[in-house]
Every structure is written in C-alpha cells, then in structure tokens.
Amino acid sequence: MTEYFAYFLIAMNFTAFAMFGIDKARSEAGEWRIRESTLLTLALFGGLPGALAGRSLFRHKTRKKSFNEALRLVMLLYVLAMLYILYISLLSDSPMRDELLPNALTKVFERS
C-alpha cells in the first residue's frame, strides 16, 4: 500500500511540475491556459513540491497575489497534515507507532 502511495505522489508531483511549464509556455504563446484551480488541486492532492519547483523554475504565477495566497494555504494544510500524521503515528497509542518509531530511531542511529 505504501509503495502505491509513493508512486501516486511521484506522479502528482511530475504532473504538477509539467502543468506549470505547459501553462507558462501557453501564456507566452497567447494560447488556451490551464485553470488556476487545476494547478492548485494538483498541489493540494500531493503535488505541492512539484508545483513549487515548477513555479520557481518557470517563474510562473509568482506575481499573482490571489494565486500565491491560495498556494500558501495549500502549504499550511500540508504542514498541518504532516503534524497530525506525526502525532498519530508517533505520539498516540496507534499501532503505527510501534512500527514506525523503532524504524525511525534505527535509521537515525545507523547514520551516526
């Protein structure tokens, strides 16, 4: 299951990155554009790193205030989701804690 989720995230990030590049090229050519809601949805559902990389590399939508505010909201949701997952998996009495914590500590001490 985790392997499929990793594949999903890779695909979402690649897609988000590519969409920013495609939309930039279309904007410069005066062609039909990709909706901002589509770009934000890709970022929200796993493609945030790809969206941020595409935005930065292609210098696309960097000055549009409303889009940047929406992207910041997506980043905030990501941070909150990660904190929640961390809490559930490591600090609560969930079965995930017993599986994740020893593996995480082993990896930390193997690097030292």
Side-chain angles (χ1 to χ4, degrees), residues 50-96:
L52 293 173
R55 181 175 162 260
S56 177
L57 181 71
F58 301 117
R59 295 184 184 151
H60 189 49
K61 300 219 176 272
T62 57
R63 292 186 281 180
K64 187 157 187 184
K65 187 177 180 182
S66 61
F67 183 82
N68 288 320
E69 288 172 354
L71 199 56
R72 278 192 219 107
L73 178 61
V74 170
M75 283 189 262
L76 176 64
L77 292 172
Y78 254 67
V79 169
L80 292 174
M82 284 188 257
L83 290 173
Y84 179 73
I85 290 168
L86 181 67
Y87 171 76
I88 292 299
S89 63
L90 298 179
L91 302 177
S92 71
D93 289 331
S94 80
M96 289 177 65

Side-chain angles (χ1 to χ4, degrees), residues 14-73:
F14 177 78
T15 303
F17 180 83
M19 290 293 211
F20 271 82
I22 292 166
D23 193 45
K24 175 69 175 198
R26 287 181 177 174
S27 100
E28 290 174 342
E31 296 176 358
W32 171 83
R33 305 281 304 278
I34 296 169
R35 291 182 179 193
E36 287 183 2
S37 61
T38 301
L39 297 173
L40 290 169
T41 301
L42 287 168
L44 181 63
F45 289 107
L48 181 64
L52 293 173
R55 181 175 162 260
S56 177
L57 181 71
F58 301 117
R59 295 184 184 151
H60 189 49
K61 300 219 176 272
T62 57
R63 292 186 281 180
K64 187 157 187 184
K65 187 177 180 182
S66 61
F67 183 82
N68 288 320
E69 288 172 354
L71 199 56
R72 278 192 219 107
L73 178 61

